[in-house]
Amino acid sequence: MLRTLLHAKLHHLRVTQADKEYLGSLTIDEDLMDAVGIVTYEKILVANLDSAQRFETYAIPGPRGSRVACLNGGAAYMGSPGDRLIVMAFAQVDDAEIMNHCPKVVRLDENNTIIAKAY
């Protein structure tokens, strides 16, 4: 049996931009994606702590070191610059892997700098 478990989480990612004319997705600084193992075009679940909205989209890399978090296309209607997001990605894990599975989770400050590894 496969179970769906959290494999990556960016906690308190701050929205830096919103681009309603882009075709869709969430642009994230590639350094932050690497920190938790999110890959380009991976499906993500996003929870906006300030608007209480949740939505699914996919991740695309932004420039390294930019600390960008840009809501694009339809996702741009789900938040505004300054909003705090929780970005989550999940993996299918078989029973043999469950005991050793540990998600990569980081907490970010208001400038999208990693301040702690949550677990």
Side-chain angles (χ1 to χ4, degrees):
M1 172 174 28
L2 295 176
R3 298 175 192 254
T4 304
L5 302 179
L6 179 72
H7 90 78
K9 179 175 164 185
L10 294 168
H11 193 75
H12 285 181
L13 180 69
R14 294 274 178 163
V15 176
T16 59
Q17 303 166 245
D19 182 358
K20 294 176 182 164
E21 298 306 317
Y22 190 86
L23 294 177
S25 67
L26 175 60
T27 303
I28 304 170
D29 178 326
E30 195 167 5
D31 286 341
L32 297 176
M33 290 174 60
D34 288 349
V36 295
I38 293 174
V39 297
T40 302
Y41 303 122
E42 184 168 0
K43 179 181 176 179
I44 53 177
L45 174 63
V46 181
N48 185 324
L49 292 169
D50 295 298
S51 71
Q53 304 235 22
R54 281 183 161 232
F55 58 95
E56 291 181 339
T57 188
Y58 59 93
I60 59 172
R64 289 187 180 280
S66 66
R67 303 299 181 239
V68 68
C70 183
L71 295 168
N72 298 305
Y77 292 92
M78 305 300 261
S80 301
D83 284 0
R84 295 167 301 145
L85 307 178
I86 298 174
V87 178
M88 299 161 277
F90 299 86
Q92 298 291 308
V93 179
D94 67 31
D95 287 339
E97 297 173 299
I98 286 176
M99 294 303 291
N100 295 318
H101 178 77
C102 184
K104 292 182 181 177
V105 178
V106 297
R107 231 174 15 141
L108 305 165
D109 68 10
E110 64 278 354
N111 298 309
N112 288 339
T113 300
I114 296 172
I115 57 172
K117 292 190 177 188
Y119 48 88

